[in-house]
Amino acid sequence: MKTLDKLSQKSLALRYKLVQLDLQINRLQGRVKELEDEEHFCLADLDFLKIYIKQLEQLITENPDPEHMYDRPIQKQIAQARNKWNRTKIKLAEIQKRQQNTPGMKLLAKQFLRDQIQIQLDQIEALIQQMEKKQRSL
């Protein structure tokens, strides 16, 4: 009977650990998704800025302004777009660095640990059922 009680306690402890791991996994999955979304938005911004800068540059080259009255505001817009481009590239690099360093790897480790604990729990519960059957047959 003591063995059955110990196994039941072990089973309960493993169930508790599984719940904790599930919560951690859910948080990490949320963080991974956030980083993926941020990366997606940065890439979309870069695509837009690339097209926007090309269009502004085309506007200047296709419509030369001998007095440069209209070129200056367009050049200013190009400079602002390039600054935004550079800031977005830096932000994208930071996001990608965070993706490599933390959540993805932790998530894989937690999922592996959870799988191992689930295997242990299944084995213990199978053993408990066998012991209960033996006790009933006696």
Side-chain angles (χ1 to χ4, degrees), residues 9 22 33 51 94 101 104 124 132:
Q9 288 176 350
D22 283 338
K33 178 75 171 114
I51 293 167
E94 290 170 356
N101 288 343
I124 289 173
E132 285 175 344

Side-chain angles (χ1 to χ4, degrees), residues 14-78:
L14 287 175
R15 284 175 194 259
Y16 178 74
K17 184 71 174 170
L18 280 177
V19 169
Q20 286 180 317
L21 283 170
D22 283 338
L23 290 173
Q24 292 171 356
I25 287 170
N26 287 339
R27 276 194 300 266
L28 286 170
Q29 285 172 333
R31 187 66 188 129
V32 167
K33 178 75 171 114
E34 280 177 28
L35 288 172
E36 287 171 353
D37 289 347
E38 284 182 44
E39 180 183 37
H40 175 75
F41 290 128
C42 282
L43 291 171
D45 278 350
L46 289 173
D47 288 342
F48 168 76
L49 288 168
K50 182 178 176 181
I51 293 167
Y52 181 64
I53 291 169
K54 275 186 183 178
Q55 288 176 343
L56 289 173
E57 289 172 342
Q58 268 183 330
L59 188 62
I60 290 175
T61 56
E62 290 175 1
N63 302 311
D65 181 13
E67 296 174 16
H68 301 289
M69 260 176 58
Y70 300 105
D71 286 355
R72 287 189 188 112
I74 294 173
Q75 289 291 351
K76 186 177 178 183
Q77 286 179 322
I78 290 172

Side-chain angles (χ1 to χ4, degrees), residues 61-117:
T61 56
E62 290 175 1
N63 302 311
D65 181 13
E67 296 174 16
H68 301 289
M69 260 176 58
Y70 300 105
D71 286 355
R72 287 189 188 112
I74 294 173
Q75 289 291 351
K76 186 177 178 183
Q77 286 179 322
I78 290 172
Q80 288 172 340
R82 285 190 177 139
N83 285 339
K84 178 142 175 68
W85 167 275
N86 291 333
R87 287 191 309 270
T88 305
K89 284 291 267 185
I90 290 168
K91 183 178 178 183
L92 179 63
E94 290 170 356
I95 290 167
Q96 289 171 339
K97 184 178 178 182
R98 282 187 288 166
Q99 282 177 322
Q100 289 174 351
N101 288 343
T102 335
M105 298 308 282
K106 283 184 180 177
L107 178 61
L108 291 175
K110 297 283 183 183
Q111 287 172 331
F112 177 77
L113 181 59
R114 189 203 183 290
D115 292 344
Q116 296 302 311
I117 290 174

